[in-house]
Amino acid sequence: MSLEPLLILELAVLGIATGFLAGLLGIGGGMVMVPFITIIMGHRGVPADLAVKMAIATSMATIIFTSISSVRAHHKRGAVRWDIVRRLSPGIVIGSLVGSLGVFALLKGTALAIFFALFVGFSATQMFLDKKPKPTRQMPGTAGQLGAGGVIGFISGLVGAGGGFISVPFMTWCNVAIHNAVATSAALGFPIAVANVAGYIVSGTNVQGLPAGSFGYIWLPALVVIAACSVFTAPLGAKAAHSLPVKKLKRVFASILYLLAAYMLWKGLAG
């Protein structure tokens, strides 16, 4: 698969858009990248099953870069809850490795696409309902956050996202302010991405039929172009996140997730 000008342009536009969304919504951009990388690879002859897996892995790899760019902008505004990051990260690493090294390699790409769609649709519904948490509810203790981190890391590894679609609703449910939740989710994207990428590389090492430029399940041309573009727009999204009202921010988040869930459900069922 050659890196022709049209492909570079497609990947650059995707990087610009996902970088902005990473900063705006704290989702690492993965919810957008997975469907579009699947489309791009499918149009270039990569089988659907393999295209979905490589899209998930490549999306996760770009989050390493977008999370750094996004979290710097959020940190300057004092919005990141580093105490939550420290407590959730150990469980995130464990859950990520279990998902990317084991379950991801065993499941078919079409099954992963359906799982992606169903879980993202559920997350979007929770955000749209905007249920108010009990005023007394707080983040759980160290053991509870270890377990929550494990769930976030495991599911993120199966769908190629930075975990914001789980961690943002979870934190707001525990009465963490939405802007703090988005900023903290951006910071959590880094340990999620690093642990999962290691798993994707190992589990994809001996897979047959990978396109040129692959490193395990990661498609390096897409990683380079998307990451190079997204790091510039992530801070712009982070700035916008602090100027939008809470309800509008949640509705934007949920609307995007619904659209992408519908596409991936169709992709999984059609495959």
Side-chain angles (χ1 to χ4, degrees):
M1 191 188 303
S2 60
L3 198 63
E4 72 270 16
L6 178 59
L7 176 58
I8 295 174
L9 178 61
E10 290 173 349
L11 295 172
V13 171
L14 183 58
I16 290 169
T18 54
F20 183 80
L21 289 171
L24 177 66
L25 303 175
I27 60 175
M31 296 288 99
V32 177
M33 275 184 273
V34 172
F36 282 102
I37 294 175
T38 299
I39 293 170
I40 290 170
M41 299 193 81
H43 284 172
R44 285 163 176 79
V46 178
D49 187 67
L50 183 57
V52 171
K53 283 196 167 187
M54 294 195 70
I56 289 172
T58 304
S59 167
M60 184 63 77
T62 67
I63 292 170
I64 293 175
F65 303 95
T66 56
S67 68
I68 294 173
S69 179
S70 177
V71 79
R72 285 181 63 190
H74 283 298
H75 178 67
K76 287 179 180 178
R77 294 174 176 269
V80 181
R81 287 282 303 274
W82 290 108
D83 57 318
I84 295 176
V85 174
R86 285 191 295 270
R87 291 192 178 98
L88 287 177
S89 292
I92 279 172
V93 172
I94 295 170
S96 296
L97 291 174
V98 171
S100 59
L101 275 172
V103 179
F104 182 87
L106 296 174
L107 291 177
K108 288 184 175 293
T110 49
L112 288 168
I114 293 171
F115 180 78
F116 177 102
L118 295 177
F119 199 90
V120 172
F122 170 78
S123 299
T125 301
Q126 294 299 103
M127 294 296 283
F128 250 119
L129 292 176
D130 195 24
K131 291 182 178 179
K132 301 298 181 184
K134 294 178 180 178
T136 56
R137 185 180 291 134
Q138 300 294 324
M139 289 291 291
T142 302
Q145 291 191 52
L146 178 68
V151 173
I152 293 168
F154 178 77
I155 297 178
S156 297
L158 296 185
V159 298
F165 64 108
I166 312 172
S167 60
V168 171
F170 170 67
M171 284 185 276
T172 56
W173 183 76
C174 294
N175 281 302
V176 176
I178 181 65
H179 293 106
N180 293 119
V182 168
T184 304
S185 173
L188 292 171
F190 185 78
I192 288 172
V194 170
N196 276 303
V197 164
Y200 297 141
I201 292 171
V202 173
S203 62
T205 299
N206 298 316
V207 173
Q208 300 298 314
L210 294 172
S214 300
F215 184 34
Y217 281 114
I218 298 168
W219 187 30
L220 292 178
L223 170 61
V224 171
V225 176
I226 292 173
C229 295
S230 62
V231 295
F232 293 106
T233 52
L236 299 178
K239 183 178 180 180
H242 292 272
S243 62
L244 290 173
V246 171
K247 183 169 286 189
K248 187 174 182 179
L249 186 58
K250 286 187 175 182
R251 291 289 172 86
V252 170
F253 191 176
S255 298
I256 292 170
L257 295 186
Y258 273 133
L259 292 173
L260 299 176
Y263 170 76
M264 291 304 286
L265 180 61
W266 171 78
K267 192 71 177 176
L269 294 174

